[in-house]
Structure formats: structure tokens, C-alpha cells
Amino acid sequence: DSVKNSIQNDVVNWELTGSMDELITTLEVSTNFSDKGSEQFNNDPPHIIFTTKPSVLIIIDGEPVIRDIDSTNLRRVINSAFIIFQDKTSNQFYLFGGEDAWFTSADLRKSWSLTTVIPADLQKLMDANKENAKKAATVNVTDKDSIPEIIVVTEPSEIIQTGGEPAYASIPGTSLLYASNSYDYIFKDINAQEFYILKSGRWFASRSLDSGWRYVAPQNIPADFAKIPEGNERDILLAIVPGTVEARGAIL
């Protein structure tokens, strides 16, 4: 620490000159572009859910833990970032969708529907905690004519979705197709007849969109990913495909 502090205090007086090109060249020589860093992480695939309609993933951290709320007829699921209550009289569950939107269900895990009627105790509680409610995770219903499906999970999960059945477009110069009717990065390698997705910065592959996903280290994805032409709708991926100019620039 003493050596580090001495250098930091003295470096302001050093007269150093050099070009950006020289700096980048030095970094290129010293940077290791392998995937060894990922060995420190658990890359087991999460539960990946594929859907062809608008859906929202409601994550509960393990089995639901539900606690009574004093001076009310309510209980709350406390191990979720989402606001989920249960009315103790009817046993009906209520999920906050943001603003004035609420979902309700008799079963916490399924069959949610939009509602405009909530218990009086719940309305009072929300009125008294408006600021906290703004910070909570919500379903964000922006179009009352297009209500998303509520999917409740109790394990690490990710969702991939397309607007209807997947519509694939080809990527010129490659054997890759991508789902053009999705905001997710969903690809199909024609040669291997395998699907590839990118979630949370990690690649996963499977023979089916519905199951069987496995982690794929970046250096093991098909070489054609590096051939995605600049200007293609999916060229943003080049920054995380090993060996590309964009990936080197991102690391530098």
C-alpha cells in the first residue's frame, strides 16, 4: 500500500507523452481475450420459458412466504420484488400492475386476470404508501387491450418471447436465422439445427425453444456469428462475439 500511495502522489508530476494508437497497441498485447473469467461463475442455465404472446415473469425467491399485515384483512408475499397481497376473507390474490392496474387470481401460480376491484384495506394501504409502490417491480400494463400473461416462478428463470409463432429472417453470408418478431436475441443455426439465445450476457443453446438449454462459452458459439454484417438488425451482438473488431474495442 505504501508503494502504491507513493506512486499515486508522485505521478501527477511525471511528464508522460504518447499517442492513443500506442496505448491501444499496448492494451491489445496485454489483454487476454479468453473466457477464463467465466469459470468463476455458475453458468448453469436458468429455467428458460418460451412464449409466443406478451408475458411477464413474476419472480418469487423460493417458495412463497406470506405474512399477515397488522390491522388489516391482508397478507403479503414478502419474498418477491413484486407487490402481491392476499385477502384473508376470500383468499384471493392481488398483484400490483402499476398505476391503477391490478391482477387477481385464486391461485398464486396461475390464472391471473386484470381487475378494477380491490379490497378496501388494500386500497387504503396503497394510498398510504404511494412512494414505496413507485419503487416496486410492476407489470406495467400500458395497453388495456393487450393484457400480458402473468407467469409466476419460484426458481431462477428467464423468458424469451415472440409476437406469435417465430418469424425467421436470414443473415446474409451466414447460416444463421434470427427471430425478427422478437425483442430477444433468438437465433437458429441452419447447419447444426440448433437454437442460440443471449440472456444476461451469456449464450445458451438447445435443439428446441421449449427445453434442453445448455450454456455455451463465447468462444464455442458458431463462427458465423462473427460474420454478421455491419448494418444488420442484429449487428449489436458483434461486441460480444470473440474475435471481432467490435469485441476488442469493447474490452479495450
Side-chain angles (χ1 to χ4, degrees):
D1 285 343
S2 61
V3 173
K4 180 181 71 174
N5 291 334
S6 296
I7 293 174
Q8 287 178 336
N9 292 333
D10 194 51
V11 71
V12 294
N13 298 316
W14 297 357
E15 293 185 4
L16 298 175
T17 59
S19 69
M20 181 62 72
D21 288 339
E22 290 173 332
L23 175 60
I24 290 177
T25 300
T26 303
L27 289 171
E28 287 179 338
V29 171
S30 63
T31 301
N32 184 348
F33 291 94
S34 72
D35 190 47
K36 292 182 179 179
S38 66
E39 295 174 0
Q40 305 174 41
F41 301 100
N42 179 3
N43 288 313
D44 293 342
H47 179 209
I48 296 173
I49 301 167
F50 170 62
T51 177
T52 57
K53 54 186 175 182
S55 305
V56 177
L57 207 58
I58 306 300
I59 299 175
I60 299 176
D61 188 12
E63 288 301 309
V65 179
I66 308 177
R67 294 284 185 268
D68 289 348
I69 299 177
D70 293 340
S71 303
T72 73
N73 199 40
L74 301 171
R75 307 170 74 202
R76 182 177 178 183
V77 177
I78 63 172
N79 57 333
S80 177
F82 292 86
I83 298 178
I84 308 172
F85 291 98
Q86 183 182 30
D87 181 78
K88 288 190 284 187
T89 300
S90 65
N91 289 325
Q92 195 79 2
F93 288 94
Y94 294 89
L95 167 67
F96 183 51
E99 297 296 332
D100 297 321
W102 284 91
F103 290 82
T104 187
S105 176
D107 187 333
L108 178 59
R109 298 178 185 272
K110 61 182 181 181
S111 302
W112 290 89
S113 60
L114 201 63
T115 183
T116 58
V117 180
I118 62 174
D121 277 356
L122 181 50
Q123 186 64 63
K124 291 178 183 177
L125 190 65
M126 294 300 292
D127 288 342
N129 293 275
K130 288 182 178 179
E131 293 305 313
N132 288 334
K134 291 179 181 179
K135 301 174 185 177
T138 61
V139 177
N140 290 328
V141 178
T142 57
D143 183 357
K144 297 296 176 66
D145 295 323
S146 180
I147 308 303
E149 179 183 4
I150 303 298
I151 301 175
V152 177
V153 295
T154 57
E155 60 182 329
S157 303
E158 294 280 2
I159 190 170
I160 54 174
Q161 50 190 315
T162 54
E165 291 302 314
Y168 293 106
S170 61
I171 298 179
T174 76
S175 64
L176 300 174
L177 305 176
Y178 69 93
S180 60
N181 59 338
S182 175
Y183 290 109
D184 292 304
Y185 297 112
I186 305 173
F187 298 88
K188 185 175 183 179
D189 179 14
I190 299 174
N191 291 339
Q193 287 296 300
E194 282 204 310
F195 295 97
Y196 287 84
I197 62 172
L198 183 70
K199 278 292 181 181
S200 302
R202 295 179 297 168
W203 289 97
F204 299 98
S206 175
R207 292 276 181 177
S208 169
L209 287 173
D210 295 307
S211 62
W213 293 100
R214 69 183 187 280
Y215 169 72
V216 180
Q219 66 269 24
N220 293 330
I221 63 176
D224 274 4
F225 276 104
K227 300 177 184 177
I228 296 176
E230 186 177 348
N232 182 269
E233 191 175 352
R234 292 294 186 265
D235 66 357
I236 191 173
L237 289 180
L238 291 169
I240 53 174
V241 175
T244 64
V245 173
E246 290 81 358
R248 285 180 171 271
I251 292 176
L252 293 175

